[in-house]
mmCIF file of all heavy atoms in Angstrom:
data_model
loop_
_atom_site.group_PDB
_atom_site.id
_atom_site.type_symbol
_atom_site.label_atom_id
_atom_site.label_comp_id
_atom_site.label_asym_id
_atom_site.label_seq_id
_atom_site.Cartn_x
_atom_site.Cartn_y
_atom_site.Cartn_z
ATOM 1 N N THR A 1 11.165 0.835 -4.082
ATOM 2 C CA THR A 1 11.998 1.807 -3.382
ATOM 3 C C THR A 1 11.228 2.403 -2.213
ATOM 4 O O THR A 1 10.006 2.251 -2.111
ATOM 5 C CB THR A 1 12.437 2.935 -4.326
ATOM 6 O OG1 THR A 1 11.277 3.682 -4.719
ATOM 7 C CG2 THR A 1 13.167 2.397 -5.557
ATOM 8 N N ASP A 2 11.950 3.090 -1.338
ATOM 9 C CA ASP A 2 11.294 3.748 -0.201
ATOM 10 C C ASP A 2 10.252 4.752 -0.682
ATOM 11 O O ASP A 2 9.165 4.855 -0.104
ATOM 12 C CB ASP A 2 12.327 4.460 0.682
ATOM 13 C CG ASP A 2 13.223 3.482 1.427
ATOM 14 O OD1 ASP A 2 12.837 2.297 1.582
ATOM 15 O OD2 ASP A 2 14.312 3.904 1.859
ATOM 16 N N GLU A 3 10.582 5.487 -1.751
ATOM 17 C CA GLU A 3 9.630 6.471 -2.298
ATOM 18 C C GLU A 3 8.395 5.783 -2.849
ATOM 19 O O GLU A 3 7.271 6.242 -2.650
ATOM 20 C CB GLU A 3 10.295 7.318 -3.395
ATOM 21 C CG GLU A 3 11.366 8.254 -2.901
ATOM 22 C CD GLU A 3 12.753 7.599 -2.866
ATOM 23 O OE1 GLU A 3 12.876 6.401 -3.231
ATOM 24 O OE2 GLU A 3 13.711 8.282 -2.458
ATOM 25 N N GLU A 4 8.597 4.664 -3.572
ATOM 26 C CA GLU A 4 7.461 3.917 -4.108
ATOM 27 C C GLU A 4 6.621 3.335 -2.971
ATOM 28 O O GLU A 4 5.390 3.358 -3.041
ATOM 29 C CB GLU A 4 7.947 2.800 -5.038
ATOM 30 C CG GLU A 4 8.531 3.315 -6.329
ATOM 31 C CD GLU A 4 9.215 2.241 -7.158
ATOM 32 O OE1 GLU A 4 9.619 1.194 -6.591
ATOM 33 O OE2 GLU A 4 9.369 2.458 -8.364
ATOM 34 N N LYS A 5 7.265 2.836 -1.940
ATOM 35 C CA LYS A 5 6.539 2.275 -0.787
ATOM 36 C C LYS A 5 5.688 3.344 -0.118
ATOM 37 O O LYS A 5 4.516 3.111 0.215
ATOM 38 C CB LYS A 5 7.536 1.680 0.217
ATOM 39 C CG LYS A 5 6.907 1.152 1.494
ATOM 40 C CD LYS A 5 6.231 -0.165 1.303
ATOM 41 C CE LYS A 5 5.912 -0.867 2.605
ATOM 42 N NZ LYS A 5 4.780 -0.369 3.319
ATOM 43 N N ALA A 6 6.268 4.539 0.049
ATOM 44 C CA ALA A 6 5.509 5.636 0.654
ATOM 45 C C ALA A 6 4.316 6.003 -0.224
ATOM 46 O O ALA A 6 3.215 6.252 0.275
ATOM 47 C CB ALA A 6 6.417 6.842 0.872
ATOM 48 N N PHE A 7 4.526 6.021 -1.528
ATOM 49 C CA PHE A 7 3.433 6.310 -2.457
ATOM 50 C C PHE A 7 2.354 5.235 -2.363
ATOM 51 O O PHE A 7 1.161 5.542 -2.305
ATOM 52 C CB PHE A 7 3.961 6.420 -3.888
ATOM 53 C CG PHE A 7 2.881 6.569 -4.914
ATOM 54 C CD1 PHE A 7 2.172 7.758 -5.023
ATOM 55 C CD2 PHE A 7 2.556 5.524 -5.757
ATOM 56 C CE1 PHE A 7 1.166 7.900 -5.963
ATOM 57 C CE2 PHE A 7 1.553 5.653 -6.694
ATOM 58 C CZ PHE A 7 0.854 6.843 -6.805
ATOM 59 N N LEU A 8 2.763 3.969 -2.333
ATOM 60 C CA LEU A 8 1.794 2.874 -2.221
ATOM 61 C C LEU A 8 1.006 2.959 -0.927
ATOM 62 O O LEU A 8 -0.203 2.701 -0.917
ATOM 63 C CB LEU A 8 2.502 1.522 -2.328
ATOM 64 C CG LEU A 8 3.087 1.179 -3.695
ATOM 65 C CD1 LEU A 8 3.908 -0.108 -3.606
ATOM 66 C CD2 LEU A 8 2.009 1.066 -4.753
ATOM 67 N N ASP A 9 1.671 3.335 0.156
ATOM 68 C CA ASP A 9 0.980 3.503 1.439
ATOM 69 C C ASP A 9 -0.130 4.555 1.321
ATOM 70 O O ASP A 9 -1.257 4.345 1.765
ATOM 71 C CB ASP A 9 1.953 3.918 2.542
ATOM 72 C CG ASP A 9 2.941 2.831 2.924
ATOM 73 O OD1 ASP A 9 2.735 1.656 2.533
ATOM 74 O OD2 ASP A 9 3.933 3.167 3.601
ATOM 75 N N ARG A 10 0.217 5.694 0.732
ATOM 76 C CA ARG A 10 -0.781 6.778 0.583
ATOM 77 C C ARG A 10 -1.885 6.379 -0.396
ATOM 78 O O ARG A 10 -3.058 6.666 -0.170
ATOM 79 C CB ARG A 10 -0.090 8.068 0.138
ATOM 80 C CG ARG A 10 0.747 8.695 1.250
ATOM 81 C CD ARG A 10 1.317 10.033 0.849
ATOM 82 N NE ARG A 10 2.294 9.943 -0.221
ATOM 83 C CZ ARG A 10 3.598 9.688 -0.041
ATOM 84 N NH1 ARG A 10 4.076 9.469 1.167
ATOM 85 N NH2 ARG A 10 4.409 9.650 -1.068
ATOM 86 N N LEU A 11 -1.511 5.719 -1.473
ATOM 87 C CA LEU A 11 -2.496 5.283 -2.453
ATOM 88 C C LEU A 11 -3.476 4.290 -1.839
ATOM 89 O O LEU A 11 -4.686 4.367 -2.077
ATOM 90 C CB LEU A 11 -1.797 4.671 -3.665
ATOM 91 C CG LEU A 11 -2.684 4.216 -4.804
ATOM 92 C CD1 LEU A 11 -3.483 5.384 -5.380
ATOM 93 C CD2 LEU A 11 -1.847 3.553 -5.886
ATOM 94 N N ALA A 12 -2.971 3.379 -1.032
ATOM 95 C CA ALA A 12 -3.838 2.394 -0.367
ATOM 96 C C ALA A 12 -4.868 3.097 0.507
ATOM 97 O O ALA A 12 -6.047 2.713 0.529
ATOM 98 C CB ALA A 12 -3.004 1.418 0.457
ATOM 99 N N ARG A 13 -4.443 4.121 1.224
ATOM 100 C CA ARG A 13 -5.393 4.881 2.053
ATOM 101 C C ARG A 13 -6.447 5.562 1.176
ATOM 102 O O ARG A 13 -7.629 5.541 1.491
ATOM 103 C CB ARG A 13 -4.657 5.909 2.902
ATOM 104 C CG ARG A 13 -4.007 5.324 4.132
ATOM 105 C CD ARG A 13 -3.517 6.386 5.102
ATOM 106 N NE ARG A 13 -2.531 7.279 4.527
ATOM 107 C CZ ARG A 13 -1.221 7.038 4.471
ATOM 108 N NH1 ARG A 13 -0.747 5.908 4.956
ATOM 109 N NH2 ARG A 13 -0.392 7.911 3.951
ATOM 110 N N LYS A 14 -6.006 6.164 0.066
ATOM 111 C CA LYS A 14 -6.946 6.872 -0.814
ATOM 112 C C LYS A 14 -7.932 5.922 -1.480
ATOM 113 O O LYS A 14 -9.074 6.288 -1.743
ATOM 114 C CB LYS A 14 -6.183 7.668 -1.874
ATOM 115 C CG LYS A 14 -5.446 8.847 -1.284
ATOM 116 C CD LYS A 14 -4.640 9.593 -2.323
ATOM 117 C CE LYS A 14 -3.839 10.693 -1.648
ATOM 118 N NZ LYS A 14 -2.996 11.425 -2.581
ATOM 119 N N LEU A 15 -7.479 4.703 -1.765
ATOM 120 C CA LEU A 15 -8.353 3.711 -2.395
ATOM 121 C C LEU A 15 -9.118 2.877 -1.377
ATOM 122 O O LEU A 15 -9.837 1.957 -1.742
ATOM 123 C CB LEU A 15 -7.532 2.791 -3.311
ATOM 124 C CG LEU A 15 -6.923 3.437 -4.544
ATOM 125 C CD1 LEU A 15 -6.040 2.440 -5.293
ATOM 126 C CD2 LEU A 15 -7.999 4.004 -5.459
ATOM 127 N N ASP A 16 -8.945 3.194 -0.094
ATOM 128 C CA ASP A 16 -9.635 2.503 0.994
ATOM 129 C C ASP A 16 -9.302 1.005 1.012
ATOM 130 O O ASP A 16 -10.182 0.162 1.184
ATOM 131 C CB ASP A 16 -11.146 2.732 0.897
ATOM 132 C CG ASP A 16 -11.842 2.475 2.218
ATOM 133 O OD1 ASP A 16 -11.190 2.622 3.274
ATOM 134 O OD2 ASP A 16 -13.038 2.111 2.198
ATOM 135 N N ILE A 17 -8.013 0.703 0.856
ATOM 136 C CA ILE A 17 -7.535 -0.670 0.933
ATOM 137 C C ILE A 17 -7.212 -0.946 2.403
ATOM 138 O O ILE A 17 -6.434 -0.215 3.013
ATOM 139 C CB ILE A 17 -6.258 -0.865 0.076
ATOM 140 C CG1 ILE A 17 -6.464 -0.414 -1.375
ATOM 141 C CG2 ILE A 17 -5.750 -2.297 0.159
ATOM 142 C CD1 ILE A 17 -7.419 -1.239 -2.172
ATOM 143 N N SER A 18 -7.806 -1.988 2.955
ATOM 144 C CA SER A 18 -7.553 -2.314 4.369
ATOM 145 C C SER A 18 -6.103 -2.756 4.544
ATOM 146 O O SER A 18 -5.442 -3.187 3.594
ATOM 147 C CB SER A 18 -8.488 -3.420 4.846
ATOM 148 O OG SER A 18 -8.103 -4.659 4.277
ATOM 149 N N GLU A 19 -5.619 -2.691 5.790
ATOM 150 C CA GLU A 19 -4.242 -3.113 6.076
ATOM 151 C C GLU A 19 -4.058 -4.592 5.746
ATOM 152 O O GLU A 19 -3.024 -4.994 5.201
ATOM 153 C CB GLU A 19 -3.898 -2.841 7.534
ATOM 154 C CG GLU A 19 -2.448 -3.120 7.854
ATOM 155 C CD GLU A 19 -2.050 -2.714 9.263
ATOM 156 O OE1 GLU A 19 -2.796 -1.962 9.921
ATOM 157 O OE2 GLU A 19 -0.984 -3.171 9.698
ATOM 158 N N LEU A 20 -5.067 -5.393 6.046
ATOM 159 C CA LEU A 20 -5.004 -6.818 5.748
ATOM 160 C C LEU A 20 -4.885 -7.051 4.240
ATOM 161 O O LEU A 20 -4.028 -7.822 3.781
ATOM 162 C CB LEU A 20 -6.244 -7.524 6.315
ATOM 163 C CG LEU A 20 -6.318 -9.029 6.135
ATOM 164 C CD1 LEU A 20 -5.214 -9.717 6.942
ATOM 165 C CD2 LEU A 20 -7.678 -9.537 6.579
ATOM 166 N N ASP A 21 -5.754 -6.384 3.461
ATOM 167 C CA ASP A 21 -5.705 -6.521 2.002
ATOM 168 C C ASP A 21 -4.402 -5.955 1.442
ATOM 169 O O ASP A 21 -3.819 -6.522 0.520
ATOM 170 C CB ASP A 21 -6.904 -5.823 1.354
ATOM 171 C CG ASP A 21 -8.210 -6.545 1.622
ATOM 172 O OD1 ASP A 21 -8.171 -7.768 1.891
ATOM 173 O OD2 ASP A 21 -9.264 -5.893 1.572
ATOM 174 N N TYR A 22 -3.948 -4.841 1.992
ATOM 175 C CA TYR A 22 -2.701 -4.214 1.565
ATOM 176 C C TYR A 22 -1.537 -5.196 1.702
ATOM 177 O O TYR A 22 -0.771 -5.407 0.761
ATOM 178 C CB TYR A 22 -2.453 -2.965 2.407
ATOM 179 C CG TYR A 22 -1.146 -2.257 2.155
ATOM 180 C CD1 TYR A 22 -1.024 -1.325 1.139
ATOM 181 C CD2 TYR A 22 -0.030 -2.501 2.957
ATOM 182 C CE1 TYR A 22 0.171 -0.652 0.916
ATOM 183 C CE2 TYR A 22 1.162 -1.848 2.735
ATOM 184 C CZ TYR A 22 1.261 -0.920 1.714
ATOM 185 O OH TYR A 22 2.444 -0.263 1.495
ATOM 186 N N ASN A 23 -1.425 -5.804 2.873
ATOM 187 C CA ASN A 23 -0.332 -6.752 3.113
ATOM 188 C C ASN A 23 -0.450 -7.979 2.215
ATOM 189 O O ASN A 23 0.557 -8.488 1.719
ATOM 190 C CB ASN A 23 -0.275 -7.153 4.586
ATOM 191 C CG ASN A 23 0.180 -6.007 5.465
ATOM 192 O OD1 ASN A 23 0.983 -5.171 5.044
ATOM 193 N ND2 ASN A 23 -0.335 -5.950 6.680
ATOM 194 N N ALA A 24 -1.674 -8.452 1.990
ATOM 195 C CA ALA A 24 -1.884 -9.612 1.121
ATOM 196 C C ALA A 24 -1.496 -9.283 -0.318
ATOM 197 O O ALA A 24 -0.874 -10.105 -1.003
ATOM 198 C CB ALA A 24 -3.342 -10.065 1.191
ATOM 199 N N ILE A 25 -1.838 -8.090 -0.771
ATOM 200 C CA ILE A 25 -1.505 -7.684 -2.138
ATOM 201 C C ILE A 25 0.009 -7.534 -2.288
ATOM 202 O O ILE A 25 0.588 -7.992 -3.272
ATOM 203 C CB ILE A 25 -2.240 -6.385 -2.524
ATOM 204 C CG1 ILE A 25 -3.739 -6.659 -2.665
ATOM 205 C CG2 ILE A 25 -1.675 -5.801 -3.819
ATOM 206 C CD1 ILE A 25 -4.602 -5.418 -2.764
ATOM 207 N N LEU A 26 0.657 -6.893 -1.308
ATOM 208 C CA LEU A 26 2.116 -6.752 -1.389
ATOM 209 C C LEU A 26 2.812 -8.112 -1.393
ATOM 210 O O LEU A 26 3.805 -8.301 -2.094
ATOM 211 C CB LEU A 26 2.647 -5.905 -0.238
ATOM 212 C CG LEU A 26 2.487 -4.402 -0.367
ATOM 213 C CD1 LEU A 26 3.109 -3.699 0.838
ATOM 214 C CD2 LEU A 26 3.093 -3.864 -1.643
ATOM 215 N N LYS A 27 2.288 -9.041 -0.597
ATOM 216 C CA LYS A 27 2.906 -10.357 -0.496
ATOM 217 C C LYS A 27 2.731 -11.155 -1.784
ATOM 218 O O LYS A 27 3.647 -11.842 -2.223
ATOM 219 C CB LYS A 27 2.294 -11.118 0.684
ATOM 220 C CG LYS A 27 2.903 -12.476 0.910
ATOM 221 C CD LYS A 27 2.304 -13.156 2.127
ATOM 222 C CE LYS A 27 2.913 -14.534 2.302
ATOM 223 N NZ LYS A 27 2.326 -15.221 3.442
ATOM 224 N N ASP A 28 1.541 -11.064 -2.398
ATOM 225 C CA ASP A 28 1.249 -11.875 -3.584
ATOM 226 C C ASP A 28 0.435 -11.072 -4.597
ATOM 227 O O ASP A 28 -0.712 -11.392 -4.882
ATOM 228 C CB ASP A 28 0.501 -13.142 -3.166
ATOM 229 C CG ASP A 28 0.389 -14.144 -4.295
ATOM 230 O OD1 ASP A 28 1.139 -14.041 -5.290
ATOM 231 O OD2 ASP A 28 -0.472 -15.037 -4.189
#
């Protein structure tokens, strides 16, 4: 959901997940 996506975006920043890794994880 949009709320979950927003949460994942913030969580990725807090966990220091790069944009490249973030997109790779979301994709697979």
Side-chain angles (χ1 to χ4, degrees):
T1 66
D2 291 340
E3 292 89 0
E4 290 171 338
K5 176 76 165 77
F7 174 72
L8 291 173
D9 292 346
R10 288 186 294 275
L11 182 61
R13 281 191 300 275
K14 290 177 185 178
L15 293 175
D16 200 27
I17 306 293
S18 72
E19 186 174 345
L20 182 66
D21 290 336
Y22 176 85
N23 290 327
I25 291 168
L26 282 182
K27 182 177 178 182
D28 190 17

